[in-house]
Amino acid sequence: MAEGELKDMEQFFDELSDSFQGTEPDVHKTSVVGLFLRHMILAYNKLSFSQVYKLYTSLQNYFQCDKTKTTTKTENEEADMELTNTEEENEEEQELSEEREMEKEDLDFPIGEEELACSGPLSQKQAEYFLSHQASLLKNDESKALSPVLLQKELNNLLKFNPDFSEAHYLSYLNSLRVQDVFSSTHSLLHYFDRLILTGAESKSNGDEGYGRSLRYAALNLAAVHCRFGHYHQAELALQEAIRIAQESSDHVCLQHCLSWLYILKSRKGEDSSVLLEHSVKKAVHFGLPYLASLGIQFLVQQRAFAGKTADKLMDALKDSDLLHWKHSLSELIDISTAQKTAVWRLYGQSTMALQQAQMLLSMDSLDSVNVSVQQNNTESFAVVLCHLAELHAEQGFFSASSEILKHLRERFPPHSQHAKLWMMFDQKIQFERAMNDGKYHVTESLVTGITALNSVEGLYRKAIVLKAQNQTAEAHKILQVLLTHCQKVKNMEMVIRVLLSLAELYWRSSCHPVALPVLLQALALSREYRLQYLASETVLNLAFSQLMLGIPEQALNILHMAIEPILAHGAVLDKGRAMFLVAKCQVASAASYSPQKKTDALESAIVNLSEAKSYFSKVDCKEQIRDILYLQARLYNSLGKIQERNKCAMLFRQMHQELPCHGVSLLIRL
């Protein structure tokens, strides 16, 4: 073999396999020699072409070196016949040791430590299994897939031996998307379709049609990548190219995919895409594409939720899409639909219904049959639901449970995964609310920076809240006005209403209560128009406070009954405390004109409401509000002549007043 050619070695291994054939084979498969030969044949078959060539050259070097040593040994024996037997034995042992070392060094190269550490599977089947396994993990359980750096290292090693391995290029594209690497992802995607066309993988079964199919789907995927990274102009150009090629070949399925991306692109650019969306759903149903039709319905529900459609119509639409999912066993879309319902109920302020939908999704079994070691709930839908669940627990004061959920999210969706931004955002928001409740405004600055990095609008709003709490009224007002103009332009009505409520609070702090009323009425009109029930209740709460400050507590108490029920049923603990505190203040202010007996009853009722408000504030550790309540309770007990209760509240107030920064008691300027 060493003196011949590479084909001689290949022929040797082919003939070696024949030694097991026949009724009386030369070697039995189960014998010691047979097992060794089968192991050797299996190892040889795993080698790639470059490794086979390396094996052959190493065999040649080994043979030539051994031949040279043998010749040298013979000459030395003839010249040195007088050497003793001991010296000859030592020389033979040394030569044998050198030969063994060389044999080990030259022939053990296929399983070298360095190659094992950074090389992918050696055979074609192993490579295909590796790629399919990693792709499945990226889709279903990204936390168990290789890290982005290690996976890219393995893929680069695979592509070094086989640059035309198109599937490896596609997995490299998916891996680059995990770390938001726009250059590498685009580069790998283009290489994938180039290899797909050059190798003829598509055209083998579809003829010339396969070539065109690869071209139009290459343009479509390129448009999707640019849209994902916010390059809308490049995405539009690539999408136009995909539409042109699809129209030339009358590919209605590809055109339908293009239409779906077209309305997504228009909505990302802030344009109205409702007409395109409805047309896309109708066409998808016509061409029998249930997946695209269902995604269109989900997107339509989302648009109409933001447009203020009633919840019953949206739920009817989602019910129809669910029938489509169960009919075609679309497990992933069932999860998306349930997560969508959770988000819709949260938008409308129905936290109880949102909690029910979240629990339903978490306890539901998937229809997909995947590996037992792979979790089926590592998709975006589960990330969304768990984030809502963490926020709901935090709003009710269960911060330890919320932290456990976020910890679970951090383990399931590592920071480098594509859905990690979801829990990062919710984590920052929960920490921000806790810091604001504790009065730790210096801590909120870093949290505002983190929120801004994930969502610029939300970050700007939180910055204005911090400035407002620090009594920097002018700076907060300037930011809120800029934010209001931007949100009205992009039609983010939920944020518009929140900004209006913050502006009204700024006017209170400046003792401009008449100026705050039109702002609050505008917020109330918008919240009712867009069916945002919880924000409407919160606005009514603010209106009642303005009326209290304007000296009409009876009217404030009347309209409070409109808001108190939704807040106590679906509100956060902090809002429940604010509502009960405001009721107590209105009762005290109204009691001034009552008869003595009625006044006593009103003050006692106010004390009960203050105690309830204090229990709510204690759950979220709002010490400033608790201090205000203790002060008011002490005054009320003093008016009722209950000296012991007054002294107890006064003592607790003094202790808290010494712990907290002394800004004065803000009963009159804060809700």
Side-chain angles (χ1 to χ4, degrees), residues 238-249:
L239 198 56
Q240 288 174 358
E241 178 70 11
I243 292 172
R244 183 185 62 80
I245 301 174
Q247 285 176 338
E248 289 176 356
S249 55

Side-chain angles (χ1 to χ4, degrees), residues 32 177 252 263 283 305 307 334 343 394 404 436 469 515 596 633 670:
V32 176
L177 286 181
H252 297 290
Y263 70 69
K283 283 289 185 181
I334 294 171
E404 286 295 322
M436 290 296 296
V515 181
Q633 276 185 326
R670 181 172 64 194

Side-chain angles (χ1 to χ4, degrees), residues 447-506:
L447 295 172
V448 166
T449 305
I451 293 173
T452 306
L454 297 169
N455 188 327
S456 58
V457 174
E458 192 74 32
L460 200 59
Y461 173 66
R462 304 281 168 165
K463 183 178 180 181
I465 290 178
V466 174
L467 292 173
K468 180 183 66 177
Q470 294 173 338
N471 292 323
Q472 300 181 33
T473 309
E475 293 83 350
H477 185 269
K478 185 178 179 181
I479 291 175
L480 288 172
Q481 287 292 347
V482 172
L483 192 58
L484 181 63
T485 305
H486 171 74
C487 292
Q488 286 175 338
K489 184 179 178 181
V490 299
K491 296 182 179 179
N492 185 355
M493 290 304 158
E494 184 182 7
M495 185 57 71
V496 167
I497 296 168
R498 294 191 182 279
V499 170
L500 289 173
L501 293 178
S502 297
L503 282 171
E505 189 172 346
L506 283 180

Side-chain angles (χ1 to χ4, degrees), residues 35-219:
L35 289 172
F36 172 75
L37 292 180
R38 288 165 61 193
H39 182 69
M40 184 169 65
I41 293 169
L42 185 62
Y44 178 78
N45 290 335
K46 285 184 178 180
L47 300 179
S48 62
F49 177 77
S50 58
Q51 290 174 318
V52 170
Y53 182 74
K54 188 176 180 181
L55 172 65
Y56 180 69
T57 53
S58 298
L59 184 64
Q60 284 183 319
N61 294 335
Y62 171 75
F63 177 75
Q64 294 296 334
C65 184
D66 184 72
K67 187 176 180 182
T68 305
K69 279 183 175 263
T70 305
T71 306
T72 305
K73 180 181 175 183
T74 305
E75 292 175 355
N76 289 339
E77 284 178 354
E78 291 176 356
D80 301 327
M81 290 295 292
E82 296 180 358
L83 290 175
T84 62
N85 292 335
T86 306
E87 291 174 345
E88 289 177 358
E89 289 176 1
N90 290 338
E91 184 180 349
E92 288 175 1
E93 289 177 0
Q94 184 178 359
E95 288 176 354
L96 183 61
S97 176
E98 290 177 357
E99 288 175 6
R100 286 175 178 172
E101 288 177 2
M102 182 172 293
E103 180 180 357
K104 182 177 181 180
E105 180 181 353
D106 290 340
L107 293 183
D108 284 356
F109 70 90
I111 54 171
E113 183 179 353
E114 183 180 354
E115 293 191 13
L116 273 179
C118 61
S119 66
L122 299 177
S123 68
Q124 182 75 13
K125 287 185 177 180
Q126 282 183 319
E128 290 174 355
Y129 172 76
F130 171 77
L131 295 177
S132 63
H133 182 62
Q134 289 298 317
S136 175
L137 288 175
L138 288 182
K139 179 184 177 183
N140 296 304
D141 196 356
E142 190 175 342
S143 60
K144 291 186 178 177
L146 293 177
S147 66
V149 176
L150 185 57
L151 180 57
Q152 194 60 46
K153 192 176 181 182
E154 298 285 344
L155 292 172
N156 290 340
N157 193 71
L158 276 176
L159 293 170
K160 181 175 68 175
F161 292 114
N162 188 1
D164 295 331
F165 203 174
S166 58
E167 289 83 357
H169 284 289
Y170 192 77
L171 188 59
S172 176
Y173 154 70
L174 295 178
N175 191 45
S176 300
L177 286 181
R178 296 167 71 190
V179 293
Q180 306 296 311
D181 188 347
V182 58
F183 174 77
S184 298
S185 58
T186 308
H187 180 79
S188 298
L189 183 66
L190 293 176
H191 271 287
Y192 165 70
F193 281 103
D194 286 345
R195 280 3 181 233
L196 202 64
I197 294 170
L198 290 174
T199 56
E202 290 281 349
S203 59
K204 286 179 182 177
S205 59
N206 299 326
D208 295 335
E209 173 61 20
Y211 177 81
R213 186 175 186 273
S214 296
L215 287 178
R216 54 184 176 268
Y217 278 101

